[in-house]
Amino acid sequence: MNGTAVIVLVAGFFGGVLGYLLTRGVVKNVGVPLDERGNEIAKLAAARTLEAVLLAIVISLYYSLAVAGDELCTEILSGLLALIFFGNLALRFYYGRKM
């Protein structure tokens, strides 16, 4: 990867962490109550986002395997797909037992 891609990934990661911490701080300190409708909208948005990311990874995986023939990219995308898939299953199992 070149330097620009690394900078973008690092900035995106730290921006996401900072956004999460700021949002959590505002909700905790100000006391913004989340209603049921807002929670359902957030759940649906998260599910649709996960589906879109999985679809994009699968398309990229097929492209890198069939068209580009790049083995490193294929291995990275395969690992990412497995991480998302099994992570989703693990979270479903965890929350299924918790709730």
Side-chain angles (χ1 to χ4, degrees):
M1 281 198 325
N2 59 13
T4 306
V6 172
I7 291 172
V8 168
L9 288 174
V10 170
F13 174 76
F14 285 116
V17 170
L18 181 63
Y20 169 75
L21 292 174
L22 287 174
T23 304
R24 190 180 74 170
V26 167
V27 170
K28 184 177 177 182
N29 294 332
V30 177
V32 178
L34 296 176
D35 58 345
E36 289 183 24
R37 183 173 178 265
N39 284 335
E40 289 300 317
I41 290 171
K43 287 179 193 176
L44 287 173
R48 298 298 179 249
T49 303
L50 180 61
E51 290 172 0
V53 167
L54 283 172
L55 181 63
I57 289 175
V58 167
I59 290 171
S60 301
L61 183 63
Y62 285 135
Y63 176 78
S64 69
L65 183 63
V67 178
D70 187 8
E71 292 182 21
L72 179 63
C73 186
T74 303
E75 291 172 5
I76 291 171
L77 288 172
S78 297
L80 187 60
L81 181 65
L83 176 72
I84 291 173
F85 180 75
F86 290 117
N88 189 13
L89 286 178
L91 287 173
R92 283 181 185 225
F93 177 75
Y94 170 74
Y95 285 120
R97 292 189 55 140
K98 185 177 178 181
M99 293 182 177

